[in-house]
Amino acid sequence: MMIEFENVSFRYDPKTDYVLNDITFKINKAEFVAIVGKNGAGKTTLIKHFNGLLKPNEGIVRIDSLDITKEPISKMASIIGYSFQNPNHQLFAQNVKKELEFGPNNLKVEESTRDTTIQNLVDTFQINHLLERSPFELSGGERRLVSIASVLTMNQQVLVLDEPTYGQDYRQKKRLGSFLNKLTDEGITVVVVSHDMDFILDFIPRTIVLSGGKIVADGETSKVLSDQTLLQDADLISPLLLDLCKSLQQIDDSFTISINEQEVYENILALISKDRKISR
Ligand SMILES: Nc1ncnc2c1ncn2[C@@H]1O[C@H](COP(=O)(O)OP(=O)(O)OP(=O)(O)O)[C@@H](O)[C@H]1O
Ligand SMILES: [Mg+2]
């Protein structure tokens, strides 16, 4: 489904400043989009407008042709999966298995479909050993993973995830990135808020930068995240891989900038061996 913000402004209190200022953008069906910005930039506030958790003071938010302010939250919940920045706001069941079953049961999904979806998620994220455990006895990383998986059980058309890689180890991040990528191939629209520039560069083709409640950039991730002036103005840092490439290009201007780890690794090896040949 398509998401559209048209001149959206929002403040928590009429006595305070706007947290979102005249936001306009469009995300097409099956797009994979990252939203970045420093602490307090307004990212969480923005994505809470996707499913009507917050309603704009001015402007319109549409999901396809639906005006979200006019739809009941329960209807939006069946269309949009939302994973909270703090997993504790989301988990409550007695054990992980029940936690994963809660969403599909609520949406009255048929049991066999529910179980197949859950099994697929359990296999993908390798959390079989956690099923009988209480969500509140899990480690921070495990808890976040379960909270994300519990959203993915509902097969909604739009997914909005707030900081999904926070506290995740390298392999879990890769699994999550590939899984979300695959979902977009199947037509699901995925929006991720993240401070993890390396994850974004690796998996998410489009990035929107928020600063002071305004959109200051929106475009191809590799271009947005290599724009030093823009990043500095928004108080952000570029991904390590791009930094490294840029430094190496200053040493040898034939060095090609790439966003693929393996390619960068090979380019570095080529650079070293070229250097050795010259110095011999
Ligand atoms: N419930 C609330 N009531 C009043 N002000 C709020 C509320 N939630 C957030 N704010 C304020 O709105 C601004 C934007 O907050 P928001 O949570 O959207 O930022 P964020 O970009 O998600 O930051 P972070 O990276 O720290 O998660 C901040 O100044 C924050 O203090
Ligand atoms: Mg936030």
Side-chain angles (χ1 to χ4, degrees), residues 12 19 37-46 85 162-163 193 195:
Y12 283 95
V19 172
K38 68 170 183 171
N39 293 137
K43 304 177 298 294
T44 298
T45 306
L46 176 76
Q85 183 164 8
D162 204 345
E163 294 280 355
V193 166
H195 291 288

Side-chain angles (χ1 to χ4, degrees), residues 41-279:
K43 304 177 298 294
T44 298
T45 306
L46 176 76
I47 60 168
K48 280 187 173 167
H49 280 75
F50 281 47
N51 60 355
L53 280 176
L54 293 175
K55 302 216 156 65
N57 296 119
E58 284 157 44
I60 299 176
V61 180
R62 280 194 208 91
I63 304 286
D64 278 356
S65 57
L66 295 177
D67 176 345
I68 63 128
T69 54
K70 303 207 168 97
E71 303 296 331
I73 287 227
S74 58
K75 177 162 183 190
M76 299 319 295
S78 68
I79 299 173
I80 297 166
Y82 184 96
S83 151
F84 283 85
Q85 183 164 8
N86 181 347
N88 295 342
H89 292 169
Q90 211 177 305
L91 302 172
F92 49 84
Q94 207 179 336
N95 63 38
V96 170
K97 185 164 179 285
K98 288 193 172 131
E99 192 68 62
L100 296 176
E101 288 172 351
F102 180 83
N105 286 351
N106 213 21
L107 297 177
K108 304 198 167 39
V109 175
E110 200 203 332
E111 217 169 281
S112 65
T113 314
R114 176 197 76 185
D115 291 346
T116 312
T117 307
I118 291 178
Q119 196 53 51
N120 180 27
L121 288 166
V122 167
D123 292 343
T124 302
F125 297 116
Q126 303 184 11
I127 51 174
N128 206 28
H129 60 296
L130 303 180
L131 288 177
E132 301 305 326
R133 306 259 313 267
S134 155
F136 297 100
E137 287 168 7
L138 303 179
S139 75
E142 290 168 340
R143 201 174 311 161
R144 180 163 305 261
L145 202 56
V146 168
S147 78
I148 294 165
S150 72
V151 171
L152 299 176
T153 54
M154 289 177 275
N155 292 322
Q156 288 125 321
Q157 287 304 298
V158 180
L159 282 173
V160 184
L161 312 175
D162 204 345
E163 294 280 355
T165 64
Y166 185 81
Q168 297 300 303
D169 67 35
Y170 182 80
R171 278 183 211 287
Q172 286 297 15
K173 275 194 211 180
K174 295 269 171 191
R175 284 183 197 126
L176 181 66
S178 312
F179 189 81
L180 295 176
N181 230 326
K182 213 170 68 203
L183 290 182
T184 60
D185 289 343
E186 292 163 12
I188 312 285
T189 311
V190 182
V191 180
V192 164
V193 166
S194 183
H195 291 288
D196 191 335
M197 299 301 187
D198 298 308
F199 175 77
I200 294 172
L201 188 66
D202 213 3
F203 290 104
I204 311 184
R206 174 179 165 196
T207 298
I208 295 175
V209 184
L210 265 190
S211 180
K214 287 195 166 80
I215 292 185
V216 293
D218 178 357
E220 201 182 306
T221 294
S222 56
K223 293 213 175 80
V224 171
L225 296 189
S226 59
D227 186 334
Q228 299 292 351
T229 323
L230 166 80
L231 294 176
Q232 233 160 36
D233 288 348
D235 240 339
L236 298 170
I237 54 158
S238 62
L240 192 63
L241 206 60
L242 281 182
D243 262 0
L244 179 66
C245 286
K246 289 215 159 161
S247 305
L248 289 169
Q249 205 175 43
Q250 277 170 5
I251 297 169
D252 182 332
D253 58 16
S254 69
F255 190 86
T256 326
I257 291 183
S258 164
I259 58 165
N260 178 288
E261 281 175 18
Q262 187 62 31
E263 237 171 69
V264 172
Y265 175 75
E266 278 158 22
N267 290 347
I268 292 173
L269 288 184
L271 183 71
I272 294 170
S273 64
K274 182 172 134 192
D275 210 37
R276 289 230 172 108
K277 274 182 207 139
I278 292 168
S279 63

